Amino acid sequence: MPKLRPKFITFDCYGTLTDFRMGPLARQIFAGRIPAARMDEFVADFAAYRLDEILGDWKPYDQVLKNAVARTCRRHGIGFVEAEGQAFYDAVPSWGPHPDVPGPLARVAKEFPLVVLSNASNSQIHRNVALLGAPFHAVYTAEMAQAYKPRFQAFEYMFDQLGCSPADILHVSSSYRYDLMSAHDLRIGHRAHVARGHEPVAPYYGAHEISDIGGLPGLLGL
């Protein structure tokens, strides 16, 4: 396989680099109100509502999470407590990287400019990025773009800020639905799927498959 030589390597942050612990936190918060037999379904519904909440016009990320929690609670017939919705938002900046991330990421950062494009608020993301342990050329958020991925507007904002063509980028994500389907449709030059088990592999979208970030240096010939 030829070495990939992108001008920029762009990353989804939450889930791909940062261990995004929405599911475990939901299990903890709702353990007393959702029976164990239904908890997997509750967590899956919460994830689905988070995606649905970001497909329209931009709104602050705390509202995305509160709305998703409220809709999940309604679907499961339990009351919604706003403080519980806020607890999800407040927890995000404390979450660090997956164990496989810091070493390979730092290695890649010596050779390529790294960029984050995240469905985050400006007040959250910089703590998460600092915990990754590698220097980043730029960090862009949905708040800056006024749009969440998978909307094209989020990616187009990044292209404009970097002053580059989609063809100049390698985009790395553990999600087809949030990132790699849009990256394919926008003709981003290269895509890499980090197979963390969040979603089924979708070969149609032409992403290089790696099991974790430890596989990224190999894609780049490092």
Side-chain angles (χ1 to χ4, degrees):
M1 183 180 68
K3 298 178 185 178
L4 307 185
R5 306 304 296 177
K7 289 184 180 178
F8 299 96
I9 304 176
T10 62
F11 294 86
D12 166 63
C13 186
Y14 297 149
T16 302
L17 301 177
T18 295
D19 186 3
F20 197 51
R21 300 186 58 77
M22 285 288 171
L25 184 56
R27 292 175 189 276
Q28 175 187 328
I29 289 175
F30 292 98
R33 282 180 285 160
I34 297 294
R38 281 177 39 215
M39 186 59 81
D40 287 351
E41 189 176 87
F42 183 90
V43 170
D45 290 342
F46 179 36
Y49 280 124
R50 292 199 307 273
L51 176 60
D52 189 65
E53 280 290 322
I54 62 173
L55 297 178
D57 292 339
W58 181 87
K59 53 181 173 281
Y61 191 56
D62 63 335
Q63 195 60 56
V64 168
L65 291 178
K66 289 174 184 176
N67 289 356
V69 174
R71 294 172 71 187
T72 307
C73 288
R74 186 180 312 120
R75 182 167 182 174
H76 286 262
I78 63 172
F80 166 66
V81 179
E82 184 160 346
E84 292 173 342
Q86 184 68 36
F88 286 95
Y89 182 83
D90 293 342
V92 171
S94 70
W95 294 336
H98 291 285
D100 57 89
V101 167
L105 197 66
R107 183 179 174 191
V108 171
K110 293 177 181 179
E111 304 292 336
F112 296 90
L114 309 185
V115 176
V116 159
L117 178 63
S118 177
N119 280 356
S121 69
N122 295 344
S123 64
Q124 292 175 309
I125 190 65
H126 294 287
R127 172 63 176 160
N128 298 111
V129 171
L131 292 170
L132 298 175
F136 276 79
H137 172 77
V139 176
Y140 303 123
T141 68
E143 184 175 356
M144 295 175 187
Q146 293 290 286
Y148 290 97
K149 300 175 296 179
R151 292 194 59 198
F152 288 0
Q153 181 178 327
F155 291 91
E156 289 167 342
Y157 175 85
M158 179 177 71
F159 303 151
D160 289 344
Q161 295 300 307
L162 293 175
C164 72
S165 159
D168 296 328
I169 287 173
L170 164 63
H171 189 66
V172 182
S173 178
S174 61
S175 175
Y176 282 93
R177 296 179 79 182
Y178 278 93
D179 285 85
L180 297 173
M181 291 180 181
S182 296
H184 168 272
D185 293 346
L186 287 165
R187 292 191 283 281
I188 284 179
H190 299 284
R191 286 86 62 197
H193 176 238
V194 185
R196 298 205 184 274
H198 301 154
E199 301 168 9
V201 172
Y204 171 82
Y205 294 98
H208 300 279
E209 291 290 331
I210 54 177
S211 60
D212 58 34
I213 297 301
L216 186 58
L219 282 183
L220 300 161
L222 301 181

